Amino acid sequence: MHPDDLMQQLHAGCDHDHGICHIIPPHIVRHVAETASGELRERALQSLADAAQFRGVRTVMATLAVGALPAGEKRRTIYDAETGTDLPGKLVRGEGDPATSDVAVTEAYDSSGAVYDFYKKVYGRNSVDGSGLRLNSTVHYDVKFDNAFWDGRQMVYGDGDGTLFQRFTISLDVIGHELTHGITQFEAGLVYQGEPGALNESMSDVFGSLVKQWKRKQKADQADWIIGEGLLAPGIKGKGLRSMSEPGTAYDDPQLGKDPQPAHMKNFYKGSADNGGVHINSGIPNRAFYLAAAAIGGFAWEKAGRIWYTALCDWLKPRATFHDARLATIGAATELYGKSAAETKAVKAAWDKVGVK
Amino acid sequence: MTLRVTLAEGDLKPEEAQHLRRLANALEPIAAAPVAQSPGGDRFTYDIVVTAGADTWQASGAEGTLPPGWRALVSFVTAHGQRQRPSPA
């Protein structure tokens, strides 16, 4: 049987308890993962991980006879949707493979590697799930697709329409943003609606920006605090998609419109569009993070980032509000640095300044 | 940000217009209950309106939840349509 045929069947079938279906039962997939090599083994592992992810189980690798991959080893796979919408698409680059001439493939590969390295070296986290989950990316999704997204299992990138947006792999902070949605999914599980959704978006902006700052070795006062830097097409008036330091100022263009983000609770968006304004109201916690990072000083990933990461992993619940995020980050800062520490005071002052009590 | 794209049959070459009609005729019925949102972030939500004479069809859904016929229509309209000025939400 050709590996592709086997893999097609691995992704279909029935597990009635969980609504997941397999024609080939899991014990055969497991045997393949334990005894095969190369691409067949990799895809069997991915199939087991996919099924485990739907059941909310994180530690698939720990149960296999051959054991987990060495800790800290990233596994990146890049696919090409060839302007279609079937995922993941055609495999075009695996971990350790040489670069191709496709710049989007190269950017997705390099930047997802940078995000992995950031989380591993700064916070000791082994991939999105904490257990070495393969980082799958699909590029060239659809035609003139003006977006990038995390679909619950992988990242997906469009090429942009060329008039408003360039290709979405062009920004390291965007790739960091999308991967962080995966981390949030495995950690706080912030519901993608209203205030928890805006917190979900903000966490992705925070760590998307921090990956970029870490890669560039920039301190808080040197960073641009822009999300989607380089993403806007030539001629569009703007710096990027969002500004964490000055929400509402990222762009103002006749074609694109004006950045709608508020910087303070007094301008909180109360409408129903955008899942209750998840990309709009994220400006408020974004600015809170920027203010805390600027006040603490130094490299933002070291203290402010650690406080926010601890809040994301240990404190926040799926339906957290902005008030809950204030309590969570103050709690995390207290735990890390002490109740009267300058870091804790900076976090409190930051939330005060954006109007979150 | 809301990105709007519109496409009129009359703006297309004959073979493209025929393809558009085929896509519109192949649209599946949309379930009354919305499909539950699966994990993820930054997915587009599509609001699609198809008008043919006095008839109108509508569908809404997040990326990954639209039936294949509707998704194919979205791709075609995005590739060939006219973009309007985005609105904030």
Side-chain angles (χ1 to χ4, degrees), chain A residues 91 122 188 229 241 259 270 275 282 307 337:
Chain A
L91 175 65
V122 177
E229 182 200 4
L241 283 178
D259 178 358
K270 295 174 183 169
N275 286 13
S282 60
I307 292 168
Y337 302 110

Coordinates of all heavy atoms in Angstrom, one line a residue, chain A residues 91 122 188 229 241 259 270 275 282 307 337:
Chain A
L91 N 2.8 18.0 0.7 CA 4.0 18.2 1.5 C 5.1 18.7 0.7 O 5.4 18.2 -0.4 CB 4.3 16.8 2.1 CG 5.6 16.7 2.9 CD1 5.6 17.5 4.2 CD2 5.9 15.2 3.2
V122 N 13.1 30.4 26.3 CA 12.7 31.4 27.2 C 11.8 30.8 28.3 O 12.0 31.1 29.5 CB 12.0 32.5 26.5 CG1 11.5 33.6 27.5 CG2 12.9 33.2 25.5
A188 N -4.9 28.0 28.8 CA -6.1 28.6 29.4 C -7.4 28.2 28.7 O -8.5 28.3 29.2 CB -6.0 30.1 29.5
E229 N 3.8 43.7 11.0 CA 4.8 44.6 10.4 C 5.2 44.1 9.0 O 5.5 42.9 8.9 CB 6.1 44.7 11.3 CG 7.1 45.6 10.8 CD 8.5 45.4 11.4 OE1 8.6 44.4 12.2 OE2 9.4 46.1 11.1
L241 N -1.0 45.8 11.2 CA -2.4 45.5 11.6 C -2.8 46.1 12.9 O -4.0 46.6 13.0 CB -2.6 44.0 11.7 CG -2.7 43.2 10.4 CD1 -2.8 41.7 10.8 CD2 -3.8 43.6 9.6
D259 N -7.8 52.0 11.8 CA -7.6 51.1 12.9 C -8.6 51.4 14.0 O -8.7 52.5 14.5 CB -6.2 51.2 13.4 CG -5.9 50.3 14.6 OD1 -6.8 49.6 15.1 OD2 -4.7 50.4 15.1
K270 N -18.9 47.2 22.0 CA -19.9 46.4 22.6 C -20.8 45.7 21.5 O -21.8 45.1 21.8 CB -20.8 47.3 23.5 CG -20.1 47.8 24.7 CD -20.9 48.8 25.5 CE -20.1 49.4 26.6 NZ -20.7 50.5 27.3
N275 N -17.0 38.3 16.5 CA -17.2 37.5 17.7 C -17.2 38.4 19.0 O -16.7 38.0 20.0 CB -16.0 36.4 17.9 CG -16.2 35.3 16.9 OD1 -17.0 35.3 16.0 ND2 -15.4 34.2 17.1
S282 N -9.0 43.7 22.0 CA -7.7 43.2 22.4 C -6.7 44.3 22.5 O -5.6 44.2 23.2 CB -7.1 42.2 21.3 OG -7.0 42.8 20.1
I307 N 5.5 36.9 33.4 CA 4.2 37.1 34.2 C 3.0 36.7 33.3 O 2.1 36.0 33.8 CB 4.1 38.6 34.6 CG1 5.2 38.9 35.6 CG2 2.8 38.9 35.2 CD1 5.4 40.4 35.9
Y337 N 7.6 37.5 41.9 CA 8.5 38.6 42.3 C 8.1 39.1 43.7 O 8.9 39.9 44.3 CB 8.5 39.7 41.3 CG 8.9 39.2 39.9 CD1 8.0 39.1 38.9 CD2 10.2 38.8 39.7 CE1 8.4 38.7 37.6 CE2 10.6 38.3 38.4 CZ 9.7 38.3 37.4 OH 10.0 37.8 36.2

